[in-house]
């Protein structure tokens, strides 16, 4: 993991402005979907078959990407990236041990435990054609595993209840803008697509979306 640079004023952007219930944090609805991949990219692979190694351990790399973000603007200024996000990974079907959780930039984490990410990034991730890699995990299982499903937990968004309009929206991820665009206090949500390790039957890759979109809220327009 990259080292943390100090001082870092972005450390509390999400847990940050939001956890304090700041009036500067404004809800903007869902824009985007987080997709998992067992390979780094650019092509994303949400289904993988991985046998146990010689030591009886199954190891996988899992990446979470923010994708399908519609380019937006307000008052002539374009939303170009994120400097903070929150999500909570859940793993169903086998006991898992997250051995690594890392980011592409220096960061400050205030989430409690691996898989629960409340992260401030400096200087922030730019969206490239509407997407950016958020987090990389290495995950270990003992022995052979089957029908493991990776999801995001909307109930794990600690900050959502502190942003008017967010609670009850059904989004599974929160993210904010960057300092360079003066959108630090603008809070968006995202849905997610499940991922599957060693499935023995059909997989359901349907996106799990919230009920409040950026169009519904109407604070931004399409760029």
């Amino acid at each position: 993991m990259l080292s943390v640079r100090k001082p870092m004023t972005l450390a509390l952007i999400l847990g940050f402005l939001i956890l304090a219930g700041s009036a500067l944090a404004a809800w903007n609805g869902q824009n985007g979907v987080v997709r998992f991949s067992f390979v780094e990219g650019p092509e994303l692979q949400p289904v993988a078959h991985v046998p146990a190694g010689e030591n009886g351990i199954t190891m996988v790399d899992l990446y979470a990407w923010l994708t399908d973000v519609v380019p937006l603007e307000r008052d002539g200024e374009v939303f170009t990236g994120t400097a903070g996000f929150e999500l909570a990974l859940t793993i169903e079907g086998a006991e898992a041990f997250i051995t690594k959780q890392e980011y592409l930039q220096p960061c400050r984490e205030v989430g409690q435990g691996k898989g629960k990410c409340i992260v401030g990034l400096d200087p922030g991730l730019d969206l490239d054609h509407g997407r950016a890699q958020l987090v990389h995990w290495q995950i270990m299982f003992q022995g052979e595993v089957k029908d493991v499903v990776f999801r995001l937990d909307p109930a794990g968004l600690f900050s959502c209840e502190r942003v008017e309009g967010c609670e009850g929206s059904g989004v599974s991820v929160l993210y904010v803008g960057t300092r360079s665009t003066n959108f630090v206090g603008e809070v968006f949500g995202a849905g997610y697509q499940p991922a599957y390790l060693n499935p023995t039957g059909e997989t359901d890759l349907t996106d799990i979306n919230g009920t409040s979109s950026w169009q519904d809220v109407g604070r931004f327009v399409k760029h």
Side-chain angles (χ1 to χ4, degrees):
M1 180 183 294
L2 296 173
S3 60
V4 175
R5 187 168 65 227
K6 297 180 179 180
M8 183 190 253
T9 58
L10 291 180
L12 299 177
I13 287 179
L14 209 77
F16 331 129
L17 295 169
I18 299 172
L19 296 185
S22 171
L24 296 176
W27 175 241
N28 290 284
Q30 178 175 322
N31 185 14
V33 177
V34 166
R35 303 190 187 280
F36 296 117
S37 179
F38 293 100
V39 296
E40 187 171 7
E43 297 299 323
L44 305 184
Q45 179 182 309
V47 180
H49 293 271
V50 180
E54 294 182 0
N55 57 2
I57 300 296
T58 301
M59 293 288 298
V60 297
D61 289 279
L62 187 70
Y63 300 84
W65 284 74
L66 177 62
T67 70
D68 304 288
V69 177
V70 177
L72 300 178
E73 65 176 82
R74 194 181 71 223
D75 299 329
E77 191 165 21
V78 181
F79 190 99
T80 59
T82 178
F85 66 90
E86 180 175 356
L87 58 82
L89 176 68
T90 65
I91 304 173
E92 304 171 358
E95 185 177 10
F97 303 89
I98 298 175
T99 60
K100 181 184 293 186
Q101 179 168 290
E102 62 181 4
Y103 309 93
L104 293 177
Q105 292 186 356
C107 68
R108 174 71 178 269
E109 291 187 84
V110 296
Q112 298 298 312
K114 288 184 169 61
K116 299 185 184 300
C117 304
I118 305 177
V119 179
L121 300 165
D122 190 5
L125 294 171
D126 290 331
L127 293 167
D128 182 9
H129 295 90
R131 71 181 202 166
Q133 182 186 306
L134 298 181
V135 57
H136 164 224
W137 296 283
Q138 282 188 346
I139 304 172
M140 180 180 72
F141 302 88
Q142 294 183 341
E144 298 278 356
V145 295
K146 296 180 181 180
D147 296 316
V148 177
V149 187
F150 301 86
R151 303 185 186 275
L152 294 178
D153 181 11
L157 297 181
F158 180 69
S159 302
C160 199
E161 63 188 49
R162 290 166 168 76
V163 181
E164 185 177 356
C166 180
E167 190 170 16
S169 66
V171 298
S172 301
V173 182
L174 299 180
Y175 65 96
V176 296
T178 60
R179 285 183 298 177
S180 62
T181 57
N182 297 315
F183 289 149
V184 169
E186 302 296 338
V187 183
F188 284 88
Y192 80 95
Q193 178 191 58
Y196 295 82
L197 175 64
N198 298 337
T200 58
E202 294 186 3
T203 59
D204 184 355
L205 296 174
T206 304
D207 295 348
I208 309 299
N209 292 308
T211 59
S212 171
S213 71
W214 64 268
Q215 296 102 318
D216 296 329
V217 177
R219 299 186 69 251
F220 282 75
V221 297
K222 191 172 181 179
H223 175 60

